[in-house]
Amino acid sequence: MDTSQHSGDPVFERFQFLVNAPALFNAVATAVELRIFHFLADNPGSDFAAIRDFTDMPQHQLRVLLQAVCTTGLLRRENGDYSNSAVAGDLLASDAEDSWGHIIVGWKEVYYPAFAHMTKALKAGTNTALDTYPGDEPTLYQRLSRNPELEAVFHRAMSAFTLQSVDALVEREEFASVRKMLDIGGGDGTTSARLVARHPELSSTVFDMPSVSKLGEDKAAAVFPDRVELHAGDIFQDEFPLGADAVLFSHVLEIFSEDQILGLMKKAYDALPVGGKVFVYGYNVSDDETTGIFGARLGLYFNVLASGQGMAYPARDYEAWLREVGFTSVETVGGLPYEHGLTLGVKS
């Protein structure tokens, strides 16, 4: 096949990177796990022997790994010495809570192994990759409770990625008038902690599964013991706690089907007083559903592994659903980082 006709075509160039990306992603993840980026942050310009001593890897295999990571541009090699690129130094050479290193390890351990099951899962119409996890619960989130170590890796990655985009939510002026918020499916409380830190008059109740709520005991609830409360339960089976003047759905509705989303929105409507606000924050694909690579990855992950349904819905879907259950003054703030949007409504 003559591919010269595609030379210079950006789609062809993206294709060439795409077909090599799974191997390169895992090479970068291996470098993260071996803490090579950390080492080079402390020892820029290190030679091969120094990296080999640090990693204790066989010489040939380290040579292969470093060549692979260098092709991504994350590592630079000059005169035989290695250094982090500026991007690697910023994103991967830290153990900070928002480090991309946490995200990459979480995706390596949980997300990407599932994608080998994609054809089977999509044809079956259910998340068949979940069969690799013990248990009979229908979602990944429930089954992870059986493996606390992996659950912690997963939520560390979730928290880190949340922190990459959450400031766009936290800075919204609409939260300034909220006094008591109900954070549905709020995980370990990462988002609630940022919100109460930014808005001194705000307190939050984080409603999530018992095993997930336990992760928040040493995080949000420990930092803000008087302003972040953990409420363990089942968001579908249990009633929403009363008393909040706002309900936040952050990175949760996208996991589920239209019927489930409508049910959760109706519970939010019923729990709120007149004038209460609802916030729906998460990924939005374009209205024509042709763009959004982060949202595309997420939708595939949901359907292959996490829940067997859901997607990064376009904002217009959330707007229609909020109106259907009774909310008014519905609008969306789009163009937020990492393909995010914020859809708002008011109970009249």
Side-chain angles (χ1 to χ4, degrees), residues 110-119 129 297-298 300-302 304:
V110 180
Y111 279 56
Y112 287 160
F115 290 149
H117 302 260
M118 189 176 298
T119 302
R297 173 192 52 81
L298 196 73
L300 292 167
Y301 152 73
F302 288 150
V304 171

Side-chain angles (χ1 to χ4, degrees), residues 20 23 33 63 76 94 106 113 121 134 157 184 199 209 238 253 266 272 285-286 309 314 317 321 326 341:
N20 292 288
E33 292 176 317
R63 179 184 180 186
R76 296 195 304 261
S94 166
I184 301 298
H199 301 281
M209 295 167 42
D238 300 337
L253 294 182
K266 181 63 166 60
L272 286 169
V285 299
S286 61
Q309 55 206 339
D317 285 8
W321 294 329

